[in-house]
Amino acid sequence: SQQGEEDPQALSIQEGENATMNCSYKTSINNLQWYRQNSGRGLVHLILIRSNEREKHSGRLRVTLDTSKKSSSLLITASRAADTASYFCATEETSGSRLTFGEGTQLTVNP
Amino acid sequence: DTGVSQNPRHKITKRGQNVTFRCDPISEHNRLYWYRQTLGQGPEFLTYFQNEAQLEKSRLLSDRFSAERPKGSFSTLEIQRTEQGDSAMYLCASSLGISGNTIYFGEGSWLTVV
C-alpha cells in the first residue's frame, strides 16, 4: 500500500509560474525524498530532506517538511516547459530501509 | 555511464512464459531494490538486497516471482508463468547501505504480457 499521498493529483500551470505539490504520510520517517519521472522513464532523484530538517533548497526547488503534520511540500519556482513530469514523494520509514512512494502529481507546464 | 543499468528495456511475452530482467547497480552500492510500477501509479516495493542477502520481500512478490543477487553485484528478477496482470514497469534501484543515502533508479524494464 502507498504511504504517501500527493496533492494535487494533477497540476497545470503556465511557464514562469510557481508549482507547489504536497505530500502527506502516515508513519514515523527517517527522511523524505522527492523524485521526478518523465513519461515512460525511470525516476530521477531531486532532493532528500531528513526528519530533523524543516526546509531545504536546491536550485529552483524548495522542500519543506513538517513532521508534526506528517506532510511535505515541493515548490518549483519559475517553472519551465521542461519541468513537465510526474513528481513523487517517497518516505524512508524508521522501521525499515526501503522507500514507500505516493501516487504522484502530474505537472504540466504550458509554454 | 555509471548509473543503474537495466536490461532489457522492453519485453513482450505471451501469457504463461517466463521472463527475466537484469539489473546492474552503481558499483560499490551494496543495497539493491526492485520496484514495480503500473500506469498512473507510484512505484511499489517488491524486494531488496543487502549485498547478496535478500532482506525483505513484499506480499506483492508471489511465488511466481524470484529475485537473486549472486555475489552481491548484479541482480535478476524472474517471473514465471506470466499473467496479464504482471504487465508493468519493473524498476531497479541501488544505494549505499546507510539510512538517508539517496536511492538511484534505473530506466526500468517494461513488461507487456499478451
Side-chain angles (χ1 to χ4, degrees):
Chain A
S1 62
Q2 301 295 329
Q3 150 88 307
E5 294 182 3
E6 279 95 338
D7 169 53
Q9 289 188 322
L11 180 61
S12 182
I13 59 174
Q14 294 302 121
E15 210 164 24
E17 294 180 340
N18 295 342
T20 300
M21 288 160 269
N22 302 297
C23 167
S24 61
Y25 58 92
K26 298 172 184 172
T27 63
S28 296
I29 62 171
N30 288 327
N31 61 75
L32 185 145
Q33 305 185 33
W34 284 91
Y35 285 83
R36 165 202 168 117
Q37 185 178 40
N38 286 70
S39 182
R41 305 294 299 273
L43 288 99
V44 174
H45 184 264
L46 295 176
I47 199 165
L48 179 153
I49 186 164
R50 301 181 197 284
S51 60
N52 61 352
E53 297 176 311
R54 292 297 166 257
E55 188 170 314
K56 208 160 181 182
H57 296 255
S58 176
R60 294 184 296 114
L61 305 180
R62 172 177 169 257
V63 168
T64 61
L65 178 64
D66 187 335
T67 52
S68 66
K69 294 181 180 177
K70 291 187 168 56
S71 67
S72 173
S73 67
L74 171 67
L75 169 66
I76 303 174
T77 60
S79 63
R80 306 165 182 168
D83 294 329
T84 295
S86 292
Y87 291 81
F88 295 92
C89 71
T91 51
E92 182 189 291
E93 299 171 25
T94 54
S95 59
S97 50
R98 58 176 161 98
L99 289 180
T100 304
F101 285 82
E103 301 285 338
T105 292
Q106 173 61 50
L107 174 66
T108 302
V109 181
N110 301 299
Chain B
D1 183 21
T2 57
V4 178
S5 176
Q6 292 189 244
N7 288 288
R9 290 292 319 280
H10 301 271
K11 179 75 176 176
I12 300 174
T13 190
K14 290 183 178 179
R15 191 172 48 186
Q17 298 293 306
N18 300 342
V19 296
T20 299
F21 299 111
R22 177 181 169 123
C23 172
D24 288 272
I26 294 171
S27 61
E28 298 179 357
H29 277 190
N30 54 355
R31 281 197 181 164
L32 186 148
Y33 306 80
W34 285 100
Y35 283 79
R36 182 175 73 183
Q37 186 179 26
T38 53
L39 212 59
Q41 302 293 312
E44 294 176 297
F45 171 79
L46 292 178
T47 188
Y48 96 91
F49 293 83
Q50 175 94 8
N51 301 311
E52 66 274 11
Q54 189 173 16
L55 295 187
E56 191 176 350
K57 286 195 268 189
S58 161
R59 285 189 300 269
L60 293 173
L61 214 66
S62 74
D63 56 6
R64 297 185 297 106
F65 288 69
S66 62
E68 295 182 341
R69 194 184 182 196
K71 303 178 184 176
S73 56
F74 73 91
S75 175
T76 58
L77 176 69
E78 181 183 18
I79 308 173
Q80 296 182 324
R81 305 181 303 281
T82 52
E83 302 171 356
Q84 286 189 318
D86 297 331
S87 295
M89 181 160 69
Y90 291 85
L91 291 158
C92 177
S94 70
S95 72
L96 285 171
I98 301 172
S99 173
N101 272 355
T102 298
I103 297 178
Y104 295 92
F105 282 80
E107 288 290 332
S109 292
W110 279 102
L111 173 65
T112 302
V113 182
V114 298

